[in-house]
């Protein structure tokens, strides 16, 4: 190795020049990395990734996930909403239409008059209805909500018929030769059709279905607020709910 200061030739492994004592820099040769080593490293990395994935989806991995979930709960990482937050969240859902029935009925009304067939007035009316039932969540009060740790119990308001959109169509009317003009006959048929539709909807359980569907819709909200146990109490419908 040649000294850069005095140009004296030294041994290749010398650290100092024998002539002037200058420190000699050692020349480092680049290390050769074989392609075979790189390939084996890639294979080992791929095997490691596959092994981790298999562990995550194995029963043992699922047990680890369950254990981690339990530890996070005991560690205080879970936040549970207060009763006021629950009441506000439920009230913001306002009136919840939770059940819809489509019902068709045919009503026949007649007016015999004084002279039998000569004054007889008969009308056939078809009614199609979309009946909606729901629960007015905006009316819920704080005393109807009880919280205890990760448990919440709610007494829901009674379900009611929200609307009954009905269309009427007179498809047959027969009048005798001397039948008087009865302007109230169609109104009487419509009133009877509406009563039949409401009665049918209630007999088929529209109010019970509204109650069940409301519970199903509210449960995710309460679980997202941090509760683990959710209980609902049903309020019976009013006596005139199906009239």
């Amino acid at each position: 190795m040649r000294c850069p200061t005095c140009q004296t030739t030294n041994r290749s492994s010398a650290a100092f020049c024998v002539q002037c004592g200058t420190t000699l820099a050692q020349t480092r040769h680049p290390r050769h990395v074989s392609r075979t080593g790189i390939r084996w490293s890639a294979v080992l990395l791929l095997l490691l990734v596959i092994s981790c994935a298999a562990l995550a989806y194995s029963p043992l991995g699922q047990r680890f996930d369950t254990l981690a979930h339990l530890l996070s709960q005991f560690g205080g990482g879970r936040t549970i909403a207060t009763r006021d937050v629950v009441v506000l969240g439920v009230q913001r859902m306002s009136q919840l239409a939770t059940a819809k029935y489509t019902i068709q009925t045919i009503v026949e009304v007649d007016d015999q008059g004084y002279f039998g067939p000569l004054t007889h007035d008969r009308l056939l009316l078809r009614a199609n209805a979309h009946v909606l039932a729901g629960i007015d969540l905006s009316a819920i009060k704080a005393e109807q909500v009880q919280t205890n740790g990760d448990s919440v119990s709610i007494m829901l308001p009674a379900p009611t018929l929200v609307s009954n959109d009905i269309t009427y169509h007179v498809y047959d009317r027969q009048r005798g030769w001397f039948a008087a003009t009865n302007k109230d006959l169609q109104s009487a048929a419509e009133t009877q059709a509406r009563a039949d539709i409401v009665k049918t909807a209630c007999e088929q359980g529209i109010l019970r279905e509204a109650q069940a569907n409301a519970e199903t819709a509210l449960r995710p909200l309460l679980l997202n607020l941090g509760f683990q146990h959710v209980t609902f109490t049903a309020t019976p419908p009013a006596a005139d709910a199906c009239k």
Side-chain angles (χ1 to χ4, degrees):
M1 178 180 295
R2 183 177 295 276
C3 177
T5 301
C6 63
Q7 299 301 318
T8 301
T9 300
N10 299 273
R11 292 177 295 125
S12 60
S13 60
F16 301 94
C17 179
V18 297
Q19 182 67 29
C20 63
T22 301
T23 302
L24 301 178
Q26 297 292 327
T27 302
R28 296 184 179 181
H29 299 282
R31 186 172 55 182
H32 177 70
V33 181
S34 65
R35 294 184 178 179
T36 303
I38 295 177
R39 291 175 181 174
W40 276 110
S41 299
V43 171
L44 291 175
L45 179 60
L46 179 60
L47 291 175
L48 179 62
V49 172
I50 295 175
S51 300
C52 292
L55 177 62
Y57 287 98
S58 66
L60 180 60
Q62 293 176 1
R63 291 180 182 177
F64 285 151
D65 291 340
T66 303
L67 179 61
H69 178 69
L70 293 175
L71 291 176
S72 65
Q73 290 185 353
F74 286 112
R78 189 176 188 85
T79 302
I80 301 176
T82 63
R83 183 174 71 168
D84 293 338
V85 173
V86 175
V87 174
L88 182 61
V90 173
Q91 287 177 343
R92 285 182 175 178
M93 297 186 72
S94 188
Q95 185 165 329
L96 185 65
T98 56
K100 178 180 179 180
Y101 283 15
T102 300
I103 300 175
Q104 182 183 89
T105 186
I106 296 177
V107 174
E108 177 183 359
V109 293
D110 58 11
D111 183 5
Q112 294 291 339
Y114 294 103
F115 301 102
L118 293 178
T119 57
H120 181 243
D121 190 359
R122 173 178 173 272
L123 180 146
L124 286 176
L125 178 139
R126 183 175 63 244
N128 298 295
H130 298 292
V131 184
L132 298 179
I135 293 178
D136 188 5
L137 297 177
S138 63
I140 198 167
K141 300 178 181 178
E143 54 266 24
Q144 294 175 272
V145 178
Q146 302 296 327
T147 59
N148 183 15
D150 62 353
S151 299
V152 59
S153 176
I154 299 180
M155 176 178 287
L156 294 176
T160 60
L161 296 180
V162 178
S163 67
N164 45 9
D165 184 17
I166 306 176
T167 58
Y168 304 100
H169 174 66
V170 176
Y171 68 92
D172 186 35
R173 186 163 188 175
Q174 298 176 1
R175 300 179 61 191
W177 287 98
F178 301 103
T181 302
N182 189 345
K183 297 181 180 179
D184 297 329
L185 196 63
Q186 181 172 344
S187 297
E190 292 177 357
T191 301
Q192 182 62 44
R194 180 188 178 280
D196 291 347
I197 287 172
V198 171
K199 180 181 178 182
T200 300
C202 290
E203 289 178 349
Q204 292 181 358
I206 190 172
L207 296 179
R208 292 192 300 271
E209 185 173 336
Q211 174 76 30
N213 291 346
E215 296 177 6
T216 301
L218 287 174
R219 193 175 299 276
L221 169 67
L222 300 171
L223 294 177
N224 288 334
L225 291 177
F227 296 100
Q228 290 291 313
H229 307 285
V230 179
T231 304
F232 295 102
T233 302
T235 301
D240 58 348
C242 294
K243 294 183 179 179

